[in-house]
Amino acid sequence: MIGTRVPPIVITYTVTPCFCGCEGGPPDVGKMLGGEEDKDPEAEKEKEEERQEALRQQEEERKAKYAKMEAEREVLRQGIRDKYGLKKKEEAEAEAQAAMDAASEGSLTRPKKAVPSGCGDEDEEEESIMDTVMKFLPGPLQDMLKK
């Protein structure tokens, strides 16, 4: 590559405008350098009120959006409840409470709590398990275990 010339590199500089606040510079440079600032308390107050109003309006729109979404979900939930014959949690609890209140009318003591299945008498459950096991055993073993 002997004999080939490399083109010269051209560097360009841009001239920045004056920062003293004259016509050549940006309009707010004077303020940044400590010059006079135009502060209007009424304008600031008005801006703050507009900002607060915009925030309130956004919050109302957000609440309306989520209320609409929840209403749509509730319609879907009700459709599922109707399809499968389910009751709302509040309705089921209210019915259970009404049944407890009706059972305790005329009683001087508080109503007993209902015992869930499988938590009460275990003798009955054991007998039913033994009966089930006995069905699958051969005759001689059944006789031995019955004694």
Side-chain angles (χ1 to χ4, degrees), residues 111-124:
K112 293 182 180 179
K113 292 185 178 180
V115 179
S117 62
C119 294
D121 298 325
E122 300 217 1
D123 296 333
E124 295 174 7

Side-chain angles (χ1 to χ4, degrees), residues 67-133:
K68 179 182 174 187
M69 288 171 53
E70 185 61 29
E72 291 173 357
R73 288 184 188 134
E74 186 58 35
V75 168
L76 291 174
R77 288 185 200 118
Q78 189 60 45
I80 292 169
R81 281 190 215 105
D82 293 342
K83 181 178 179 180
Y84 294 106
L86 303 174
K87 294 181 181 178
K88 269 187 162 180
K89 212 178 252 189
E90 297 95 28
E91 291 176 5
E93 289 174 358
E95 286 179 8
Q97 185 64 32
M100 292 281 273
D101 292 344
S104 65
E105 280 186 29
S107 175
L108 297 176
T109 59
R110 66 178 179 86
K112 293 182 180 179
K113 292 185 178 180
V115 179
S117 62
C119 294
D121 298 325
E122 300 217 1
D123 296 333
E124 295 174 7
E125 190 173 319
E126 287 178 17
E127 289 175 5
S128 64
I129 292 172
M130 284 302 291
D131 292 338
T132 306
V133 171

Side-chain angles (χ1 to χ4, degrees), residues 10-116:
V10 178
I11 301 174
T12 58
Y13 294 98
T14 57
V15 179
T16 56
C18 178
F19 289 110
C20 66
C22 63
E23 293 179 14
D28 59 343
V29 172
K31 294 177 189 176
M32 289 191 298
L33 294 176
E36 288 187 29
E37 296 182 13
D38 297 330
K39 288 190 175 181
D40 186 12
E42 292 219 1
E44 287 181 20
K45 185 177 180 182
E46 187 176 310
K47 281 185 179 181
E48 181 64 23
E49 288 175 359
E50 288 176 6
R51 189 181 72 80
Q52 291 294 331
E53 180 61 33
L55 288 174
R56 274 192 296 273
Q57 185 177 4
Q58 287 175 347
E59 183 69 17
E60 289 173 6
E61 289 172 0
R62 186 187 67 80
K63 286 182 180 180
K65 173 186 167 186
Y66 285 107
K68 179 182 174 187
M69 288 171 53
E70 185 61 29
E72 291 173 357
R73 288 184 188 134
E74 186 58 35
V75 168
L76 291 174
R77 288 185 200 118
Q78 189 60 45
I80 292 169
R81 281 190 215 105
D82 293 342
K83 181 178 179 180
Y84 294 106
L86 303 174
K87 294 181 181 178
K88 269 187 162 180
K89 212 178 252 189
E90 297 95 28
E91 291 176 5
E93 289 174 358
E95 286 179 8
Q97 185 64 32
M100 292 281 273
D101 292 344
S104 65
E105 280 186 29
S107 175
L108 297 176
T109 59
R110 66 178 179 86
K112 293 182 180 179
K113 292 185 178 180
V115 179

Side-chain angles (χ1 to χ4, degrees), residues 4-10:
T4 59
R5 285 187 64 172
V6 179
I9 300 174
V10 178

